[in-house]
Amino acid sequence: MKIRRSTRKDIRGMLAVAGRLTDWPQPLATELGYEHGFVAMAGNRMIGFVSVTHEEGLPVITYLRVDPARTRQGAGTKLVAAVLDEAKSLGAARVRVQAIGWTRPFNRMYAETLKFYEAQGFRVVKKHPVVVEEADRWRLYTLEKAL
Ligand SMILES: CC(C)(COP(=O)(O)OP(=O)(O)OC[C@H]1O[C@@H](n2cnc3c(N)ncnc32)[C@H](O)[C@@H]1OP(=O)(O)O)[C@@H](O)C(=O)NCCC(=O)NCCS
């Protein structure tokens, strides 16, 4: 598995990886076009990607997706490590990510995402108010990792 910087030519592949998880709104292609990040490649096949933006100079991970058929093989860890290395080299003090940390009814994917970020050394710094949408409830968490 190789990690390299993403280019705009990777957007189609990123959408394919994201699409294997769930349906994504078309604006994702535009959003990814404005951000930068890294892709994980197994030969010619993209198996994951991460995109990053910044909020007032603080690096923020916006999307991280690994092909469901290729999880638990270290791709997510390597993609996040690339973001952390870059942030460090740019002099950032910490990296931030927002993730859905609590859902009712329980959603395994979101629970696992939180476990993944905690395994990377991110800590919850803020639990946002519960959002209610029809029968669904969820809470966004902000997590940060100091560099
Ligand atoms: C979360 C995600 C990025 C993890 O990618 P990955 O390549 O499988 O991660 P890694 O193999 O590097 O896992 C590193 C560690 O994270 C933790 N972890 C990863 N997946 C986990 C899971 N499903 N359950 C519990 N812990 C998990 C483990 O500690 C793991 O180490 P281990 O395999 O030695 O136990 C990937 O599963 C994904 O893309 N999920 C969907 C993301 C998503 O849509 N989330 C909701 C919106 S934010």
Side-chain angles (χ1 to χ4, degrees):
M1 182 196 317
K2 260 185 75 172
I3 305 294
R4 63 161 172 78
R5 269 182 196 285
S6 57
T7 72
R8 289 213 172 151
K9 287 185 187 153
D10 290 315
I11 290 178
R12 191 187 288 264
M14 292 176 182
L15 292 174
V17 170
R20 262 171 244 138
L21 287 156
T22 174
D23 288 336
W24 286 93
Q26 190 50 36
L28 180 62
T30 313
E31 242 182 90
L32 290 172
Y34 280 105
E35 290 172 5
H36 85 286
F38 300 89
V39 292
M41 304 294 296
N44 287 332
R45 187 177 167 82
M46 188 188 300
I47 59 167
F49 71 91
V50 64
S51 63
V52 200
T53 187
H54 77 93
E55 287 169 9
E56 295 171 359
L58 183 73
V60 179
I61 294 173
T62 45
Y63 293 100
L64 170 68
R65 300 290 181 265
V66 173
D67 185 332
R70 303 296 295 260
T71 54
R72 299 308 279 268
Q73 295 172 18
T77 299
K78 287 189 174 149
L79 287 164
V80 169
V83 172
L84 298 174
D85 285 350
E86 179 187 53
K88 211 176 217 173
S89 73
L90 292 170
R94 54 197 202 281
V95 171
R96 177 179 293 166
V97 67
Q98 286 198 328
I100 293 178
W102 177 92
T103 52
R104 288 293 178 274
F106 177 76
N107 180 314
R108 199 164 64 99
M109 184 177 81
Y110 291 123
E112 291 174 354
T113 302
L114 195 68
K115 280 188 191 147
F116 167 79
Y117 278 116
E118 287 177 337
Q120 307 307 312
F122 283 76
R123 297 292 165 251
V124 176
V125 294
K126 184 172 176 181
K127 292 181 182 180
H128 297 258
V130 174
V131 177
V132 180
E133 206 172 83
E134 295 179 1
D136 294 323
R137 283 163 176 61
W138 71 86
R139 200 191 261 283
L140 205 59
Y141 287 10
T142 299
L143 296 101
E144 288 182 358
K145 178 175 167 114
L147 298 173

